[in-house]
Structures are given as structure tokens and as C-alpha cells.
């Protein structure tokens, strides 16, 4: 089985102009998350796509699915988001395991609701690579000089840009491997995990990369919203 997961439990506090979570902001008449779901549904290899939703927005999401994805409702499952990113993922994996038998070759492809322009190529490459290697992240070579700073005021180190990459999403895993890694993370480290792929480095598991795409950016700020809206209008 190939499971997709969309994390939509956050509140998007860095989008200053918004009064609602960024994944529900409308762009050209449609919520951001609808574009994300639409692009993931294009990949027919997904048996089911689980969406972790903030509890206060569950009713809204149920209506959204009914309105925009009536013919694909059988492939979509909703579950509650959690306090932290890993809590939302845990709710998704718990839902998968409660509704389906676990197979040795099952995989999960975890994506952000606020990355609405993920491509079919990235998703298919991720599925192919995770089936071969067990743990995969989409990434792009760094285009800017990266600065390390210990105190946020002075540059501590400038790493070699040729070996630095920008991590994107999705993060993809053999599901059984992911469940084992999930159980092994100490509770005190969970709040500091900002990217799902960090679960591999904490567990000493080799993480492979597939090529991302600059279009697969995460909407984080008001400027990102403007860029996303222009992309949609030009399409």
C-alpha cells in the first residue's frame, strides 16, 4: 500500500495578514490546501491520502472535500492534527494502522498542506526511491550562501555551498521503518523536530534524496502568498 499524508494542523503565525491558518486562505477562489490535495490526487499510485486537520477546522475540511473532491472522496481520510508536527504524523499513522493491515513494503509519503505546487514528478520519484531505500526527502541544492550563527548576531561558520541542500517535502518512508523510528524518539527531543526527515538522523538511519523543484515552495509569509497567487493566475 502507498499512503499519502498531508499535514494541515498548523496555524501559520508568520503570515501576518491572515486571521485563519494559511492552508485555508483562499487564492483565486480556492483554499491553499485544495491545490495541495488536487496535486497529490493526480498520482493514482496513492491508495489513500490521510489529512491531519486542526480540530477547529474539521467541519470545514469535511465540507471542502465534499465540494471539491466528490469523485475522489473514497481515497481521502481525515484525522485530527496534534500539538506538534510529530503528533499530527502519529495521528495519521495510528489511523492507517487501525484501518489497514500493515505490510512489509507499505510506504508513507508525508507532505505539507502549505506546499500547494508539489509536482507529480517529485511524488513519483519519492515513491520509487523510498521503495528502494526506505527513507527519502525531496531536496534542492542551496542557491544562496548559507550562514551558521550560534547567537543570531555573528557569523560562526560559512559551509561549502556545494554540499548544502534545501530540504523540501515530501518526506517518504517505509511505513514499518517509520513506525519503529517514531517509537524510538525520546519525548524531550520531539518539540525540537521541525522537519520530518530529522527522525532519521536521530535514529541513525540513512536518508536518501530525490530532486525537488523551486515551484514546490512552502507558503510561510505574506510574500509567499503573493507569489503563489501570481503562479495560479498565470496558469
Amino acid at each position: 500500500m502507498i499512503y499519502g499524508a498531508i499535514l494541515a494542523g498548523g496555524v501559520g503565525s508568520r503570515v501576518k495578514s491572515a486571521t485563519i491558518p494559511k492552508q485555508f486562505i483562499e487564492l483565486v477562489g480556492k483554499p491553499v490546501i485544495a491545490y495541495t490535495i488536487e496535486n497529490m490526487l493526480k498520482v493514482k499510485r496513492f491508495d489513500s491520502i490521510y489529512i491531519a486537520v486542526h480540530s477547529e477546522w474539521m467541519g470545514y475540511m469535511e465540507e471542502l472535500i465534499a465540494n471539491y473532491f466528490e469523485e475522489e472522496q473514497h481515497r481521502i481520510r481525515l484525522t485530527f492534527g496534534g500539538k506538534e508536527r510529530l503528533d499530527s504524523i502519529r495521528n495519521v499513522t495510528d489511523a492507517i494502522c487501525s484501518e489497514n493491515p500493515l505490510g512489509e513494503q507499505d510506504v508513507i509519503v508525508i507532505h505539507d498542506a502549505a506546499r500547494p505546487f508539489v509536482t507529480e514528478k517529485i511524488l513519483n520519484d519519492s515513491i520509487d526511491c523510498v521503495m528502494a531505500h526506505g527513507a527519502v526527502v525531496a531536496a534542492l541544492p542551496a542557491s544562496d550562501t548559507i550562514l551558521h550563527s550560534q547567537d543570531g548576531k555573528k557569523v560562526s561558520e560559512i559551509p561549502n555551498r556545494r554540499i548544502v541542500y534545501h530540504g523540501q517535502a515530501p518526506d517518504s518512508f517505509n511505513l514499518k521503518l517509520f513506525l519503529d523510528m517514531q517509537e524510538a524518539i525520546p519525548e524531550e527531543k520531539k518539540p525540537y523536530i521541525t522537519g520530518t526527515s530529522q527522525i532519521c538522523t536521530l535514529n541513525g538511519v540513512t536518508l536518501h534524496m530525490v530532486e525537488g523543484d523551486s515551484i514546490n515552495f512552502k507558503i510561510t509569509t505574506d510574500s509567499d502568498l503573493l507569489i503563489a497567487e501570481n503562479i495560479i493566475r498565470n496558469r
Side-chain angles (χ1 to χ4, degrees):
M1 298 287 285
I2 300 173
Y3 301 105
I6 298 175
L7 305 183
V11 295
S13 58
R14 282 180 284 180
V15 180
K16 302 301 181 184
S17 64
T19 57
I20 63 174
K22 60 189 175 184
Q23 60 269 28
F24 303 124
I25 296 171
E26 287 200 1
L27 294 178
V28 195
K30 192 159 62 175
V32 167
I33 192 171
Y35 295 101
T36 310
I37 297 169
E38 191 175 78
N39 282 324
M40 289 193 72
L41 285 172
K42 289 177 183 177
V43 179
K44 302 305 180 184
R45 299 165 76 182
F46 285 121
D47 295 289
S48 298
I49 295 173
Y50 285 76
I51 307 174
V53 185
H54 193 287
S55 59
E56 295 179 6
W57 289 83
M58 184 60 77
Y60 172 91
M61 274 301 304
E62 291 172 346
E63 291 184 14
L64 185 150
I65 298 302
N67 290 337
Y68 288 98
F69 304 105
E70 182 180 2
E71 294 183 1
E72 293 279 14
Q73 285 189 75
H74 63 284
R75 295 174 65 201
I76 300 173
R77 303 285 187 273
L78 299 181
T79 188
F80 289 108
K83 181 180 179 181
E84 306 290 346
R85 183 182 184 87
L86 283 186
D87 298 322
S88 292
I89 296 172
R90 182 60 177 261
N91 290 350
V92 168
T93 56
D94 284 350
I96 290 173
C97 292
S98 68
E99 296 174 6
N100 308 275
L102 180 61
E104 292 291 328
Q105 302 303 316
D106 291 351
V107 299
I108 184 169
V109 178
I110 303 169
H111 194 59
D112 299 319
R115 291 184 189 268
F117 305 122
V118 64
T119 66
E120 290 180 72
K121 181 180 187 305
I122 291 174
L123 293 169
N124 279 308
D125 287 351
S126 296
I127 292 170
D128 291 340
C129 192
V130 76
M131 286 180 168
H133 300 293
V136 179
V137 63
L140 276 180
S143 56
D144 297 316
T145 298
I146 304 297
L147 308 178
H148 285 182
S149 175
Q150 297 295 330
D151 60 8
K153 298 177 181 179
K154 303 184 298 293
V155 174
S156 306
E157 180 187 6
I158 301 178
N160 184 346
R161 194 174 69 188
R162 288 179 295 179
I163 60 171
V164 177
Y165 289 76
H166 292 296
Q168 294 191 326
D171 304 275
S172 308
F173 307 93
N174 173 280
L175 182 54
K176 188 174 185 304
L177 170 65
F178 185 80
L179 293 173
D180 291 342
M181 291 193 295
Q182 193 172 239
E183 291 297 327
I185 299 175
E187 285 296 325
E188 65 272 15
K189 291 188 177 182
K190 289 182 179 180
Y192 302 100
I193 294 178
T194 56
T196 316
S197 54
Q198 284 174 271
I199 195 171
C200 292
T201 56
L202 289 172
N203 281 277
V205 172
T206 300
L207 182 64
H208 292 256
M209 294 189 295
V210 295
E211 184 180 13
D213 193 312
S214 58
I215 198 70
N216 183 36
F217 66 93
K218 187 176 183 179
I219 295 175
T220 306
T221 66
D222 290 278
S223 297
D224 296 330
L225 276 175
L226 291 173
I227 293 169
E229 183 171 1
N230 282 330
I231 290 170
I232 294 165
R233 289 191 184 281
N234 287 328
R235 284 181 170 180

